[in-house]
Amino acid sequence: MSLLLRILDRLEEILIAFLIAAATSIIFVAVLHRYLVGIPLLYPILFPIDLSWAQELCIYMFVWMAKFGAAYGVRTGIHVGVDVLVNMLRPSLRKVTILFGLLCGALFTAIIGTMGAKFVYGLSQTDQVTPDMELPSWLVYLCIPLGSYLMCFRFLQVAWHYLRHDELPHHDHAYVEGVDAAGVEAMR
């Protein structure tokens, strides 16, 4: 089971990184194209290249990235949380309150995922396509149930870990994966 979770973690991270890198690259090329086509020497070469689809694709990529990024945020503890009042509670009540909040998050995302799945299924029964790329619309909206169900799973995963170990995921802003802190200090 641990191997499957590590694979899911890496797939989630790779998907998010790929989507943001690809969307950024596509937008860069589209903007560059827009300005270079104004140069008379390059106009005959660049004008026939149609990049009208780039903006639409990037919007979809950023929406998918945000849905899966939200699940990543639950897993790693990088979402903003206001816990001043919760931290003032006695430990037993604090634990119950935190678990209640995590389970409410799981319930909410499960409901959104189910409603999204019904919406995507209904959309898949139509011939509706996106404006520029003419992709099936259901494909674009598939991120709602997939991202919501993954986020629900992450809420349950965090709740289970908190129940067993009394600790929530905590994101250390000073830590960067792949960068050796001792090596950085030695360079200073």
Side-chain angles (χ1 to χ4, degrees):
M1 187 63 154
S2 176
L3 177 65
L4 290 175
L5 289 176
R6 284 199 316 265
I7 290 171
L8 179 62
D9 292 350
R10 293 306 155 250
L11 284 174
E12 182 181 47
E13 292 164 2
I14 289 168
L15 178 65
I16 294 165
F18 169 77
L19 288 172
I20 198 163
T24 303
S25 300
I26 290 169
I27 286 296
F28 175 76
V29 168
V31 169
L32 194 64
H33 176 267
R34 187 178 316 138
Y35 285 102
L36 292 178
V37 81
I39 299 173
L41 181 65
L42 298 176
Y43 180 82
I45 299 166
L46 296 177
F47 183 73
I49 300 172
D50 179 26
L51 293 178
S52 61
W53 50 268
Q55 182 177 358
E56 182 178 296
L57 177 62
C58 287
I59 290 169
Y60 300 149
M61 292 173 89
F62 275 112
V63 169
W64 275 73
M65 187 261 315
K67 285 300 290 179
F68 286 90
Y72 173 81
V74 171
R75 176 173 62 93
T76 59
I78 60 175
H79 283 292
V80 174
V82 181
D83 56 1
V84 174
L85 293 176
V86 174
N87 287 338
M88 293 172 68
L89 299 173
R90 65 180 191 274
S92 60
L93 191 55
R94 181 182 318 132
K95 186 167 188 164
V96 169
T97 304
I98 290 171
L99 283 172
F100 178 73
L102 290 168
L103 294 176
C104 284
L107 176 64
F108 177 75
T109 53
I111 291 169
I112 296 298
T114 302
M115 292 173 68
K118 289 179 182 178
F119 177 73
V120 168
Y121 177 75
L123 204 53
S124 72
Q125 304 304 307
T126 69
D127 293 332
Q128 187 173 349
V129 294
T130 61
D132 293 329
M133 297 179 61
E134 297 184 359
L135 292 171
S137 289
W138 68 267
L139 193 60
V140 173
Y141 289 101
L142 190 60
C143 69
I144 296 170
L146 294 179
S148 296
Y149 284 139
L150 180 60
M151 196 170 179
C152 176
F153 172 73
R154 295 302 188 188
F155 272 119
L156 294 173
Q157 184 182 30
V158 169
W160 178 252
H161 183 79
Y162 182 67
L163 188 62
R164 292 178 55 217
H165 301 288
D166 244 4
E167 60 183 39
L168 292 168
H170 175 72
H171 180 71
D172 182 8
H173 296 286
Y175 173 75
V176 178
E177 188 173 342
V179 176
D180 179 27
V184 172
E185 287 299 319
M187 290 176 20
R188 288 185 181 179

